[in-house]
Amino acid sequence: MNEPTTLYIIRHGKTMFNTIGRTQGWSDTPLSKEGEEVIHYLGLGLSNTEFKEAYSSDSGRAMQTARIILQEHSNGQSIPYGTDSRIREWCFGSLDGGYDGELWGVVPRILAFKNYEDMMTNRISYKDLADAIIAADTANWAEPYEKIRERVWSGFEDIAHHREKDGGGNVLIVSHGLTISFLMSLIDDSLPMQIGLENGSVTKLIYENGKFTIDTVNDTHYIEDGRRISNQH
């Protein structure tokens, strides 16, 4: 009898760029001291959840997050772990590494909105966002929408499909804010853009017979559980 296949998709810990408000994308910075601490708590909070395997994107911040979680896990040594470049963050081209204000200053103007708030109130699509990033990118590095959709979907779908075929169970996955929220929109296109996913939050998906169901989004209770466990010792 197969177990349900459940993906625990975690947004990486808070980084140096997150702290100073810079757009990361394919550029990378390590976790801040606070970021590491929160992920230690998350790891403690998840330490008794049984995982068949673990994955992260190939970005340093995601790998660092996964390593900390596995170090805190009661069975961390024996959980197979691999990286997958398909589940990395969107590429922001020449806006990568710039201040968030540049990205969210220029994108709304390209889409003919007054500002970021105006754009979010009017619920733009992820395709609009991808097209605007390409228009703003002077380096021609940003990925077209179809390419992002193909890599993100196939990355998570392959992981889930492989686990289901192998008897199901829980999979730990560390990915990125925009990538996770985009994946959810591919599962349920009525969802608003979830740009505010917390660092270290868990978004849980159930996968069955080729179909994803969203269970929980942006759940931070594992961090709180870990903090309590830490305070008891």
Side-chain angles (χ1 to χ4, degrees):
M1 181 66 185
N2 276 12
E3 297 176 60
T5 299
T6 307
L7 307 188
Y8 285 67
I9 304 175
I10 291 157
R11 183 181 176 210
H12 63 79
K14 192 172 193 177
T15 63
M16 187 182 103
F17 268 12
N18 291 152
T19 308
I20 59 174
R22 282 183 179 264
T23 302
Q24 245 160 169
W26 282 12
S27 57
D28 201 30
T29 56
L31 302 194
S32 64
K33 200 167 170 340
E34 179 205 345
E36 282 188 11
E37 192 181 341
V38 167
I39 298 303
H40 277 294
Y41 293 141
L42 173 64
L44 284 172
L46 288 168
S47 60
N48 292 318
T49 303
E50 191 194 332
F51 291 109
K52 300 286 190 190
E53 55 209 357
Y55 296 88
S56 76
S57 87
D58 58 346
S59 297
R61 59 192 185 273
M63 297 195 291
Q64 187 184 359
T65 301
R67 276 199 302 272
I68 295 171
I69 295 168
L70 292 173
Q71 275 162 10
E72 297 292 354
H73 198 278
S74 52
N75 202 21
Q77 296 291 322
S78 57
I79 297 170
Y81 163 65
T83 62
D84 192 324
S85 61
R86 294 174 298 177
I87 63 172
R88 63 162 68 156
E89 186 56 290
W90 283 33
C91 175
F92 299 106
S94 58
L95 296 162
D96 250 34
Y99 282 103
D100 291 342
E102 292 172 41
L103 174 68
W104 299 118
V106 71
V107 162
R109 288 204 299 276
I110 288 169
L111 295 171
F113 292 109
K114 288 198 291 288
N115 52 32
Y116 175 77
E117 282 71 26
D118 186 29
M119 177 179 84
M120 294 311 275
T121 315
N122 282 281
R123 287 201 49 177
I124 63 159
S125 71
Y126 286 89
K127 185 174 187 320
D128 292 339
L129 179 60
D131 290 350
I133 291 167
I134 283 183
D137 172 26
T138 55
N140 295 326
W141 286 339
E143 300 167 286
Y145 175 79
E146 296 303 332
K147 195 173 172 193
I148 304 170
R149 192 180 70 180
E150 159 58 25
R151 80 164 162 89
V152 170
W153 183 258
S154 69
F156 286 100
E157 226 263 340
D158 282 359
I159 290 169
H161 181 68
H162 163 77
R163 177 48 26 224
E164 184 182 53
K165 227 171 53 191
D166 214 8
N170 298 328
V171 187
L172 175 80
I173 304 176
V174 181
S175 184
H176 304 263
L178 186 55
T179 296
I180 299 167
S181 75
F182 177 51
L183 172 67
M184 286 192 291
S185 81
L186 296 176
I187 297 165
D188 178 355
D189 61 7
S190 73
L191 289 173
M193 219 178 247
Q194 305 263 350
I195 287 181
L197 291 176
E198 300 279 336
N199 293 103
S201 64
V202 177
T203 293
K204 211 186 283 186
L205 306 181
I206 317 288
Y207 182 80
E208 196 177 7
N209 302 325
K211 197 171 176 306
F212 280 113
T213 318
I214 298 169
D215 184 38
T216 49
V217 177
N218 199 27
D219 180 1
T220 55
H221 92 264
Y222 296 101
I223 298 169
E224 299 315 315
D225 290 352
R227 198 173 260 125
R228 273 198 299 276
I229 294 166
S230 177
N231 290 337
Q232 283 159 12
H233 289 297

Short mmCIF file of all heavy atoms in Angstrom, two decimals, residues 100-151:
data_model
loop_
_atom_site.label_atom_id
_atom_site.label_comp_id
_atom_site.label_asym_id
_atom_site.label_seq_id
_atom_site.Cartn_x
_atom_site.Cartn_y
_atom_site.Cartn_z
N ASP A 100 15.52 45.94 -4.57
CA ASP A 100 14.13 45.55 -4.88
C ASP A 100 13.36 46.70 -5.49
O ASP A 100 12.51 46.51 -6.35
CB ASP A 100 13.40 45.09 -3.60
CG ASP A 100 13.94 43.76 -3.08
OD1 ASP A 100 14.61 43.05 -3.85
OD2 ASP A 100 13.69 43.45 -1.90
N GLY A 101 13.67 47.92 -5.03
CA GLY A 101 12.98 49.11 -5.53
C GLY A 101 13.15 49.31 -7.03
O GLY A 101 12.28 49.86 -7.70
N GLU A 102 14.30 48.85 -7.56
CA GLU A 102 14.52 48.98 -9.02
C GLU A 102 13.56 48.05 -9.76
O GLU A 102 12.85 48.46 -10.67
CB GLU A 102 15.97 48.61 -9.37
CG GLU A 102 17.00 49.60 -8.86
CD GLU A 102 18.42 49.08 -9.06
OE1 GLU A 102 18.70 48.50 -10.13
OE2 GLU A 102 19.24 49.25 -8.13
N LEU A 103 13.55 46.77 -9.34
CA LEU A 103 12.68 45.79 -9.98
C LEU A 103 11.21 46.21 -9.88
O LEU A 103 10.50 46.29 -10.88
CB LEU A 103 12.87 44.42 -9.33
CG LEU A 103 11.93 43.31 -9.80
CD1 LEU A 103 12.21 42.91 -11.23
CD2 LEU A 103 12.05 42.08 -8.90
N TRP A 104 10.78 46.49 -8.65
CA TRP A 104 9.36 46.81 -8.44
C TRP A 104 9.04 48.27 -8.76
O TRP A 104 7.90 48.70 -8.68
CB TRP A 104 8.93 46.44 -7.02
CG TRP A 104 9.12 44.97 -6.77
CD1 TRP A 104 9.94 44.39 -5.83
CD2 TRP A 104 8.50 43.89 -7.48
NE1 TRP A 104 9.87 43.02 -5.93
CE2 TRP A 104 8.99 42.68 -6.93
CE3 TRP A 104 7.58 43.81 -8.54
CZ2 TRP A 104 8.61 41.42 -7.38
CZ3 TRP A 104 7.20 42.55 -8.99
CH2 TRP A 104 7.71 41.37 -8.43
N GLY A 105 10.07 49.04 -9.14
CA GLY A 105 9.85 50.39 -9.65
C GLY A 105 9.61 50.35 -11.15
O GLY A 105 8.70 50.98 -11.68
N VAL A 106 10.41 49.54 -11.85
CA VAL A 106 10.36 49.54 -13.31
C VAL A 106 9.25 48.63 -13.85
O VAL A 106 8.58 48.98 -14.82
CB VAL A 106 11.76 49.18 -13.91
CG1 VAL A 106 12.13 47.74 -13.71
CG2 VAL A 106 11.82 49.53 -15.39
N VAL A 107 9.02 47.46 -13.21
CA VAL A 107 8.05 46.49 -13.74
C VAL A 107 6.62 47.08 -13.82
O VAL A 107 5.97 46.99 -14.87
CB VAL A 107 8.09 45.16 -12.94
CG1 VAL A 107 6.84 44.33 -13.16
CG2 VAL A 107 9.33 44.36 -13.35
N PRO A 108 6.12 47.73 -12.75
CA PRO A 108 4.77 48.31 -12.86
C PRO A 108 4.66 49.34 -13.99
O PRO A 108 3.65 49.39 -14.70
CB PRO A 108 4.55 48.97 -11.49
CG PRO A 108 5.47 48.25 -10.57
CD PRO A 108 6.66 47.90 -11.39
N ARG A 109 5.73 50.15 -14.18
CA ARG A 109 5.67 51.17 -15.24
C ARG A 109 5.58 50.52 -16.63
O ARG A 109 4.84 50.99 -17.49
CB ARG A 109 6.89 52.09 -15.16
CG ARG A 109 6.84 53.05 -13.97
CD ARG A 109 7.69 54.29 -14.21
NE ARG A 109 9.10 53.97 -14.41
CZ ARG A 109 9.97 53.79 -13.42
NH1 ARG A 109 9.58 53.88 -12.15
NH2 ARG A 109 11.23 53.52 -13.68
N ILE A 110 6.34 49.45 -16.81
CA ILE A 110 6.29 48.74 -18.10
C ILE A 110 4.87 48.22 -18.36
O ILE A 110 4.38 48.22 -19.49
CB ILE A 110 7.32 47.58 -18.12
CG1 ILE A 110 8.74 48.16 -18.22
CG2 ILE A 110 7.06 46.60 -19.26
CD1 ILE A 110 9.85 47.16 -17.98
N LEU A 111 4.20 47.79 -17.28
CA LEU A 111 2.84 47.24 -17.41
C LEU A 111 1.77 48.33 -17.28
O LEU A 111 0.59 48.04 -17.15
CB LEU A 111 2.62 46.16 -16.34
CG LEU A 111 3.50 44.91 -16.49
CD1 LEU A 111 3.36 44.01 -15.26
CD2 LEU A 111 3.15 44.14 -17.76
N ALA A 112 2.21 49.60 -17.33
CA ALA A 112 1.31 50.77 -17.32
C ALA A 112 0.53 50.93 -16.01
O ALA A 112 -0.62 51.37 -16.00
CB ALA A 112 0.34 50.72 -18.51
N PHE A 113 1.18 50.59 -14.88
CA PHE A 113 0.59 50.88 -13.58
C PHE A 113 1.37 52.02 -12.92
O PHE A 113 2.55 52.23 -13.23
CB PHE A 113 0.63 49.64 -12.67
CG PHE A 113 -0.27 48.53 -13.14
CD1 PHE A 113 0.26 47.36 -13.68
CD2 PHE A 113 -1.66 48.67 -13.07
CE1 PHE A 113 -0.58 46.34 -14.13
CE2 PHE A 113 -2.50 47.65 -13.51
CZ PHE A 113 -1.96 46.48 -14.05
N LYS A 114 0.72 52.68 -11.98
CA LYS A 114 1.37 53.82 -11.31
C LYS A 114 2.54 53.35 -10.45
O LYS A 114 3.59 53.95 -10.42
CB LYS A 114 0.36 54.57 -10.42
CG LYS A 114 -0.67 55.37 -11.20
CD LYS A 114 -1.35 56.42 -10.31
CE LYS A 114 -2.27 55.81 -9.26
NZ LYS A 114 -3.53 55.26 -9.85
N ASN A 115 2.30 52.25 -9.70
CA ASN A 115 3.33 51.76 -8.78
C ASN A 115 3.05 50.30 -8.43
O ASN A 115 2.10 49.70 -8.94
CB ASN A 115 3.36 52.62 -7.50
CG ASN A 115 1.98 52.75 -6.88
OD1 ASN A 115 1.14 51.84 -6.97
ND2 ASN A 115 1.71 53.89 -6.25
N TYR A 116 3.86 49.76 -7.54
CA TYR A 116 3.76 48.34 -7.14
C TYR A 116 2.38 48.02 -6.56
O TYR A 116 1.76 47.02 -6.93
CB TYR A 116 4.87 48.04 -6.12
CG TYR A 116 4.81 46.66 -5.52
CD1 TYR A 116 5.26 45.56 -6.24
CD2 TYR A 116 4.34 46.45 -4.22
CE1 TYR A 116 5.21 44.28 -5.69
CE2 TYR A 116 4.29 45.19 -3.68
CZ TYR A 116 4.73 44.11 -4.41
OH TYR A 116 4.68 42.85 -3.87
N GLU A 117 1.89 48.89 -5.66
CA GLU A 117 0.59 48.65 -5.00
C GLU A 117 -0.53 48.59 -6.05
O GLU A 117 -1.39 47.73 -6.01
CB GLU A 117 0.26 49.75 -3.96
CG GLU A 117 0.99 49.61 -2.64
CD GLU A 117 2.48 49.93 -2.74
OE1 GLU A 117 2.87 50.72 -3.65
OE2 GLU A 117 3.25 49.39 -1.93
N ASP A 118 -0.48 49.55 -6.97
CA ASP A 118 -1.48 49.62 -8.04
C ASP A 118 -1.45 48.33 -8.87
O ASP A 118 -2.49 47.75 -9.20
CB ASP A 118 -1.14 50.84 -8.92
CG ASP A 118 -2.20 51.11 -9.98
OD1 ASP A 118 -3.37 50.77 -9.74
OD2 ASP A 118 -1.85 51.65 -11.05
N MET A 119 -0.25 47.86 -9.17
CA MET A 119 -0.08 46.64 -9.98
C MET A 119 -0.64 45.42 -9.24
O MET A 119 -1.35 44.60 -9.82
CB MET A 119 1.42 46.44 -10.26
CG MET A 119 1.73 45.17 -11.02
SD MET A 119 3.52 45.02 -11.34
CE MET A 119 4.09 44.29 -9.80
N MET A 120 -0.33 45.31 -7.93
CA MET A 120 -0.78 44.14 -7.17
C MET A 120 -2.30 44.15 -6.94
O MET A 120 -2.93 43.11 -6.91
CB MET A 120 -0.04 44.04 -5.83
CG MET A 120 1.45 43.77 -5.97
SD MET A 120 1.87 42.41 -7.09
CE MET A 120 1.72 41.02 -6.00
N THR A 121 -2.87 45.35 -6.81
CA THR A 121 -4.33 45.46 -6.64
C THR A 121 -5.04 44.97 -7.90
O THR A 121 -6.11 44.40 -7.84
CB THR A 121 -4.73 46.94 -6.38
OG1 THR A 121 -3.83 47.48 -5.43
CG2 THR A 121 -6.13 47.05 -5.83
N ASN A 122 -4.40 45.20 -9.04
CA ASN A 122 -5.02 44.82 -10.31
C ASN A 122 -4.70 43.39 -10.74
O ASN A 122 -5.01 42.99 -11.85
CB ASN A 122 -4.58 45.79 -11.42
CG ASN A 122 -5.35 47.09 -11.33
OD1 ASN A 122 -6.48 47.16 -11.75
ND2 ASN A 122 -4.73 48.11 -10.74
N ARG A 123 -4.04 42.65 -9.83
CA ARG A 123 -3.76 41.23 -10.07
C ARG A 123 -3.19 40.91 -11.45
O ARG A 123 -3.85 40.37 -12.32
CB ARG A 123 -5.03 40.40 -9.83
CG ARG A 123 -5.35 40.30 -8.37
CD ARG A 123 -6.23 39.16 -8.03
NE ARG A 123 -5.81 37.88 -8.58
CZ ARG A 123 -6.44 36.74 -8.35
NH1 ARG A 123 -7.49 36.72 -7.58
NH2 ARG A 123 -6.02 35.62 -8.87
N ILE A 124 -1.94 41.27 -11.64
CA ILE A 124 -1.28 40.91 -12.89
C ILE A 124 -1.01 39.40 -12.91
O ILE A 124 -1.01 38.76 -11.86
CB ILE A 124 0.06 41.68 -13.06
CG1 ILE A 124 1.06 41.29 -11.95
CG2 ILE A 124 -0.16 43.16 -13.13
CD1 ILE A 124 2.50 41.59 -12.30
N SER A 125 -0.77 38.87 -14.08
CA SER A 125 -0.46 37.44 -14.18
C SER A 125 1.06 37.25 -14.13
O SER A 125 1.84 38.18 -14.33
CB SER A 125 -0.99 36.89 -15.51
OG SER A 125 -0.21 37.39 -16.58
N TYR A 126 1.47 36.00 -13.89
CA TYR A 126 2.91 35.70 -13.87
C TYR A 126 3.50 35.88 -15.27
O TYR A 126 4.66 36.21 -15.41
CB TYR A 126 3.15 34.28 -13.36
CG TYR A 126 2.95 34.16 -11.87
CD1 TYR A 126 1.70 33.85 -11.34
CD2 TYR A 126 4.00 34.37 -10.98
CE1 TYR A 126 1.51 33.75 -9.97
CE2 TYR A 126 3.82 34.27 -9.61
CZ TYR A 126 2.57 33.96 -9.11
OH TYR A 126 2.39 33.87 -7.76
N LYS A 127 2.68 35.69 -16.29
CA LYS A 127 3.17 35.92 -17.66
C LYS A 127 3.45 37.40 -17.87
O LYS A 127 4.48 37.77 -18.44
CB LYS A 127 2.19 35.40 -18.70
CG LYS A 127 2.76 35.55 -20.12
CD LYS A 127 1.92 34.93 -21.19
CE LYS A 127 2.61 34.94 -22.54
NZ LYS A 127 3.37 36.15 -22.88
N ASP A 128 2.54 38.27 -17.38
CA ASP A 128 2.78 39.72 -17.45
C ASP A 128 4.09 40.07 -16.76
O ASP A 128 4.89 40.87 -17.27
CB ASP A 128 1.67 40.50 -16.71
CG ASP A 128 0.31 40.41 -17.41
OD1 ASP A 128 0.29 40.12 -18.61
OD2 ASP A 128 -0.71 40.63 -16.71
N LEU A 129 4.30 39.46 -15.58
CA LEU A 129 5.51 39.74 -14.81
C LEU A 129 6.75 39.31 -15.59
O LEU A 129 7.72 40.07 -15.71
CB LEU A 129 5.44 39.02 -13.46
CG LEU A 129 6.65 39.19 -12.54
CD1 LEU A 129 6.89 40.66 -12.19
CD2 LEU A 129 6.48 38.38 -11.25
N ALA A 130 6.70 38.09 -16.14
CA ALA A 130 7.86 37.57 -16.90
C ALA A 130 8.14 38.45 -18.12
O ALA A 130 9.30 38.76 -18.42
CB ALA A 130 7.60 36.13 -17.32
N ASP A 131 7.09 38.86 -18.82
CA ASP A 131 7.26 39.71 -20.01
C ASP A 131 7.87 41.06 -19.64
O ASP A 131 8.73 41.59 -20.34
CB ASP A 131 5.90 39.95 -20.71
CG ASP A 131 5.36 38.68 -21.39
OD1 ASP A 131 6.12 37.69 -21.48
OD2 ASP A 131 4.18 38.68 -21.80
N ALA A 132 7.41 41.62 -18.50
CA ALA A 132 7.92 42.92 -18.05
C ALA A 132 9.39 42.82 -17.63
O ALA A 132 10.18 43.74 -17.89
CB ALA A 132 7.08 43.45 -16.90
N ILE A 133 9.76 41.71 -17.01
CA ILE A 133 11.17 41.51 -16.61
C ILE A 133 12.05 41.44 -17.86
O ILE A 133 13.12 42.05 -17.91
CB ILE A 133 11.33 40.27 -15.71
CG1 ILE A 133 10.67 40.50 -14.34
CG2 ILE A 133 12.81 39.92 -15.51
CD1 ILE A 133 10.49 39.25 -13.50
N ILE A 134 11.57 40.74 -18.87
CA ILE A 134 12.33 40.66 -20.13
C ILE A 134 12.47 42.05 -20.75
O ILE A 134 13.54 42.43 -21.22
CB ILE A 134 11.66 39.67 -21.12
CG1 ILE A 134 11.99 38.24 -20.68
CG2 ILE A 134 12.11 39.92 -22.56
CD1 ILE A 134 11.47 37.15 -21.57
N ALA A 135 11.39 42.83 -20.71
CA ALA A 135 11.43 44.19 -21.28
C ALA A 135 12.41 45.08 -20.52
O ALA A 135 13.06 45.96 -21.11
CB ALA A 135 10.03 44.80 -21.27
N ALA A 136 12.52 44.86 -19.21
CA ALA A 136 13.40 45.71 -18.38
C ALA A 136 14.85 45.25 -18.40
O ALA A 136 15.75 46.01 -18.06
CB ALA A 136 12.89 45.69 -16.94
N ASP A 137 15.07 44.00 -18.81
CA ASP A 137 16.40 43.39 -18.72
C ASP A 137 17.30 43.84 -19.87
O ASP A 137 17.04 43.52 -21.02
CB ASP A 137 16.23 41.86 -18.75
CG ASP A 137 17.56 41.13 -18.84
OD1 ASP A 137 18.58 41.68 -18.41
OD2 ASP A 137 17.57 40.00 -19.37
N THR A 138 18.35 44.57 -19.54
CA THR A 138 19.24 45.06 -20.60
C THR A 138 20.32 44.03 -20.97
O THR A 138 21.04 44.20 -21.93
CB THR A 138 19.95 46.35 -20.15
OG1 THR A 138 20.61 46.09 -18.90
CG2 THR A 138 18.95 47.48 -19.96
N ALA A 139 20.40 42.95 -20.19
CA ALA A 139 21.44 41.93 -20.45
C ALA A 139 20.96 40.76 -21.29
O ALA A 139 21.74 39.90 -21.68
CB ALA A 139 21.97 41.41 -19.11
N ASN A 140 19.64 40.72 -21.56
CA ASN A 140 19.04 39.59 -22.29
C ASN A 140 19.30 38.23 -21.64
O ASN A 140 19.57 37.24 -22.32
CB ASN A 140 19.53 39.56 -23.76
CG ASN A 140 19.07 40.78 -24.52
OD1 ASN A 140 17.97 41.28 -24.26
ND2 ASN A 140 19.88 41.28 -25.42
N TRP A 141 19.23 38.22 -20.31
CA TRP A 141 19.41 36.95 -19.59
C TRP A 141 18.09 36.40 -19.05
O TRP A 141 17.98 35.21 -18.79
CB TRP A 141 20.32 37.17 -18.37
CG TRP A 141 21.75 37.33 -18.69
CD1 TRP A 141 22.40 36.95 -19.83
CD2 TRP A 141 22.75 37.96 -17.86
NE1 TRP A 141 23.73 37.28 -19.77
CE2 TRP A 141 23.97 37.91 -18.56
CE3 TRP A 141 22.71 38.54 -16.60
CZ2 TRP A 141 25.15 38.43 -18.04
CZ3 TRP A 141 23.88 39.05 -16.08
CH2 TRP A 141 25.09 39.00 -16.80
N ALA A 142 17.13 37.28 -18.83
CA ALA A 142 15.87 36.85 -18.20
C ALA A 142 15.19 35.79 -19.07
O ALA A 142 15.27 35.83 -20.30
CB ALA A 142 14.95 38.05 -17.99
N GLU A 143 14.51 34.85 -18.40
CA GLU A 143 13.89 33.74 -19.14
C GLU A 143 12.48 34.10 -19.60
O GLU A 143 11.73 34.71 -18.84
CB GLU A 143 13.75 32.52 -18.22
CG GLU A 143 15.01 31.98 -17.64
CD GLU A 143 14.69 30.99 -16.52
OE1 GLU A 143 14.29 31.44 -15.43
OE2 GLU A 143 14.82 29.79 -16.75
N PRO A 144 12.11 33.65 -20.80
CA PRO A 144 10.73 33.84 -21.23
C PRO A 144 9.78 32.99 -20.37
O PRO A 144 10.18 31.96 -19.82
CB PRO A 144 10.71 33.34 -22.68
CG PRO A 144 12.06 32.86 -22.99
CD PRO A 144 12.95 33.00 -21.81
N TYR A 145 8.54 33.44 -20.29
CA TYR A 145 7.53 32.78 -19.46
C TYR A 145 7.45 31.28 -19.72
O TYR A 145 7.44 30.48 -18.78
CB TYR A 145 6.16 33.43 -19.70
CG TYR A 145 5.05 32.72 -18.97
CD1 TYR A 145 4.83 32.92 -17.61
CD2 TYR A 145 4.22 31.80 -19.63
CE1 TYR A 145 3.83 32.26 -16.92
CE2 TYR A 145 3.23 31.12 -18.95
CZ TYR A 145 3.03 31.34 -17.60
OH TYR A 145 2.05 30.66 -16.92
N GLU A 146 7.38 30.88 -20.99
CA GLU A 146 7.21 29.46 -21.32
C GLU A 146 8.34 28.62 -20.76
O GLU A 146 8.16 27.49 -20.31
CB GLU A 146 7.12 29.24 -22.85
CG GLU A 146 5.91 29.88 -23.50
CD GLU A 146 4.58 29.40 -22.91
OE1 GLU A 146 4.53 28.25 -22.40
OE2 GLU A 146 3.61 30.18 -22.93
N LYS A 147 9.54 29.19 -20.80
CA LYS A 147 10.71 28.46 -20.32
C LYS A 147 10.67 28.31 -18.79
O LYS A 147 10.98 27.24 -18.24
CB LYS A 147 11.98 29.21 -20.75
CG LYS A 147 13.23 28.37 -20.61
CD LYS A 147 14.44 29.05 -21.19
CE LYS A 147 15.69 28.25 -20.83
NZ LYS A 147 16.92 29.00 -21.09
N ILE A 148 10.27 29.38 -18.10
CA ILE A 148 10.14 29.30 -16.64
C ILE A 148 9.08 28.26 -16.28
O ILE A 148 9.29 27.41 -15.41
CB ILE A 148 9.73 30.66 -16.01
CG1 ILE A 148 10.70 31.78 -16.40
CG2 ILE A 148 9.66 30.56 -14.48
CD1 ILE A 148 10.21 33.17 -16.02
N ARG A 149 7.96 28.32 -16.97
CA ARG A 149 6.86 27.40 -16.66
C ARG A 149 7.29 25.96 -16.85
O ARG A 149 7.05 25.10 -16.01
CB ARG A 149 5.64 27.71 -17.55
CG ARG A 149 4.39 26.97 -17.06
CD ARG A 149 3.20 27.27 -17.92
NE ARG A 149 3.34 26.65 -19.24
CZ ARG A 149 2.44 26.74 -20.20
NH1 ARG A 149 1.35 27.46 -20.02
NH2 ARG A 149 2.63 26.17 -21.36
N GLU A 150 7.98 25.71 -17.97
CA GLU A 150 8.42 24.35 -18.29
C GLU A 150 9.40 23.83 -17.24
O GLU A 150 9.25 22.72 -16.73
CB GLU A 150 9.03 24.36 -19.70
CG GLU A 150 9.97 23.22 -20.04
CD GLU A 150 9.36 21.83 -19.93
OE1 GLU A 150 8.12 21.69 -20.03
OE2 GLU A 150 10.14 20.86 -19.72
N ARG A 151 10.39 24.65 -16.87
CA ARG A 151 11.41 24.14 -15.93
C ARG A 151 10.85 23.96 -14.52
O ARG A 151 11.09 22.95 -13.86
CB ARG A 151 12.67 25.01 -15.94
CG ARG A 151 12.63 26.29 -15.14
CD ARG A 151 14.02 26.86 -14.89
NE ARG A 151 13.97 28.26 -14.50
CZ ARG A 151 13.86 28.68 -13.24
NH1 ARG A 151 13.76 27.82 -12.25
NH2 ARG A 151 13.86 29.99 -12.98
#
